[in-house]
Amino acid sequence: MDVRIEESWKYRLQEEFDKPYFAQLTQFVRGEYASGTVYPPGREMFAAFDACPFEQVRVVILGQDPYHEPGQAHGLCFSVNDGVQFPPSLVNIFKEIESDLGKPIPRSGNLMRWAQQGVLLLNATLTVRAHQAGSHQNKGWEAFTDAVIRRLATEREHIVFILWGSYAQRKGAFIDRNRHCVLQSPHPSPLSAYRGFFGNKHFSRTNEYLVQHGYKPIDW
């Protein structure tokens, strides 16, 4: 199957695109976009990959679903378009950055600036029906994003995998901790942030690991 995605990813994921589950997923997603409102816009479905080629990935932040309200989702997990009010989890992410690194909370919640520095902002499910969280789960996206993580974990070294919440931690359980840095804490959602997300210092710890292995730190 010919999928419009950044070339370095296309080369490594072609095996997935040719599997029966991906054909079924494609048929489902096309039907959803044709029959109702789906986020993100179709052209931004693979935006996380397009912004961050395979060889440039230094950090992976794993989300679950795209935002499902108008104007929010644009293909990067936890990120929203310029001018959009910050969702609660993103507010808490910025609060932790402020506490950890002393950086003031930014005016824009668009995290493309992170992606362009090598942060793959990957949702486990890449599409969602408007106003219906989880509506595109268990349709095949999870198998695809498992393959993405596996490729990175086996073909690269010294990537920081940031896994917030039990869902992300289960999805990243197979990552070799001897080859990569895996940072885990509760999710930044208001329901769980006070159980250990705040104070996790994942942003400074990420940069310490990157510098230790000869990479530039991320300007969070």
Side-chain angles (χ1 to χ4, degrees):
M1 181 177 296
D2 185 26
V3 176
R4 294 182 184 177
I5 193 171
E6 192 275 333
E7 283 300 319
S8 66
W9 286 107
K10 187 172 187 175
Y11 168 74
R12 286 172 176 83
L13 297 171
Q14 190 60 54
E15 181 180 333
E16 296 301 308
F17 299 147
D18 292 336
K19 290 180 178 178
Y21 87 83
F22 199 86
Q24 294 169 3
L25 171 63
T26 299
Q27 185 175 11
F28 167 76
V29 170
R30 283 176 175 162
E32 289 285 283
Y33 275 99
S35 62
T37 301
V38 174
Y39 300 122
R43 67 183 180 280
E44 295 177 327
M45 193 184 306
F46 295 111
F49 301 90
D50 295 337
C52 193
F54 184 87
E55 299 86 355
Q56 294 178 21
V57 176
R58 291 183 287 153
V59 181
V60 178
I61 298 179
L62 189 60
Q64 191 165 355
D65 256 15
Y67 296 124
H68 54 267
E69 296 302 326
Q72 294 180 318
H74 65 123
L76 311 179
C77 75
F78 295 107
S79 179
V80 291
N81 282 300
D82 292 328
V84 175
Q85 183 177 354
F86 301 169
S89 290
L90 185 57
V91 170
N92 287 340
I93 289 169
F94 287 149
K95 284 181 178 178
E96 176 58 23
I97 292 172
E98 184 177 41
S99 171
D100 185 13
L101 299 173
K103 291 182 64 103
I105 292 175
R107 292 183 178 180
S108 172
N110 189 329
L111 303 182
M112 182 62 74
R113 60 187 181 274
W114 295 1
Q116 291 169 344
Q117 298 177 74
V119 182
L120 181 66
L121 295 159
L122 180 66
N123 274 316
T125 303
L126 298 191
T127 54
V128 69
R129 198 177 299 150
H131 317 300
Q132 296 183 40
S135 51
H136 286 189
Q137 290 177 7
N138 303 314
K139 302 295 184 181
W141 278 130
E142 294 89 347
F144 172 71
T145 50
D146 280 350
V148 170
I149 297 167
R150 191 170 290 108
R151 281 282 187 174
L152 287 166
T154 57
E155 294 186 21
R156 297 282 310 282
E157 290 188 343
H158 307 313
I159 290 175
V160 181
F161 289 89
I162 297 177
L163 309 177
W164 294 326
S166 57
Y167 179 89
Q169 289 159 23
R170 288 194 302 271
K171 195 170 177 71
F174 66 86
I175 298 166
D176 185 347
R177 269 65 169 170
N178 295 315
R179 293 183 64 172
H180 304 284
C181 175
V182 178
L183 300 177
Q184 300 187 165
S185 84
H187 195 275
S189 162
L191 299 175
S192 56
Y194 289 93
R195 297 206 299 265
F197 174 79
F198 289 131
N200 66 23
K201 296 191 180 297
H202 281 181
F203 302 97
S204 60
R205 291 170 64 188
T206 293
N207 282 349
E208 288 165 5
Y209 182 86
L210 292 175
V211 170
Q212 181 183 345
H213 290 91
Y215 297 109
K216 287 177 60 177
I218 304 299
D219 181 6
W220 299 108

